Amino acid sequence: MDRSFEGLRVWQQSRTFVNSIYDIMKEVKDYGFRDQIQRAAVSIMNNIAEGAESGSDAKFINFLQISRGSCSEVRSMLYLCVDRHIIDQETFERLKAEAISISNQIYRLIESIAKGPKKP
């Protein structure tokens, strides 16, 4: 089975989201924190990509579940970003909404794959 991750809207949104995370973290001097949130954000898009080309629906679903977990990790860390005054409340709300949207899209993709191809 051949799938192209670049054509997946959720991967495209994840890529934009990762760049937003990198942009807000570029001045943060807590390198451990910065590395952790950036790695989690990258994990979202990379697990979608890896799963799309993994060769089976079961593997794809597994990678998508990992990607959703990474969405949750980033969301959790965004709370710390606002608590530590790295971002303002407006930026927090925007990024949190994006992470939730991506997570919801991944969930719908998982459901779609689990149901299998549509019968004519």
Side-chain angles (χ1 to χ4, degrees), residues 32-57:
F33 183 83
R34 182 175 74 190
D35 184 58
Q36 185 68 28
I37 194 169
Q38 288 174 336
R39 283 174 179 262
V42 168
S43 175
I44 298 167
M45 68 181 271
N46 283 350
N47 277 292
I48 294 168
E50 193 169 350
E53 298 186 5
S54 65
S56 78
D57 288 349

Side-chain angles (χ1 to χ4, degrees), residues 21 49 67:
I21 295 297
S67 184

Side-chain angles (χ1 to χ4, degrees), residues 55-68:
S56 78
D57 288 349
K59 286 181 183 176
F60 193 10
I61 288 170
N62 186 55
F63 279 106
L64 291 172
Q65 289 168 333
I66 293 167
S67 184
R68 283 192 83 215

Side-chain angles (χ1 to χ4, degrees), residues 66-77:
I66 293 167
S67 184
R68 283 192 83 215
S70 295
C71 279
S72 296
E73 182 178 356
V74 172
R75 273 187 23 234
S76 178
M77 294 188 78

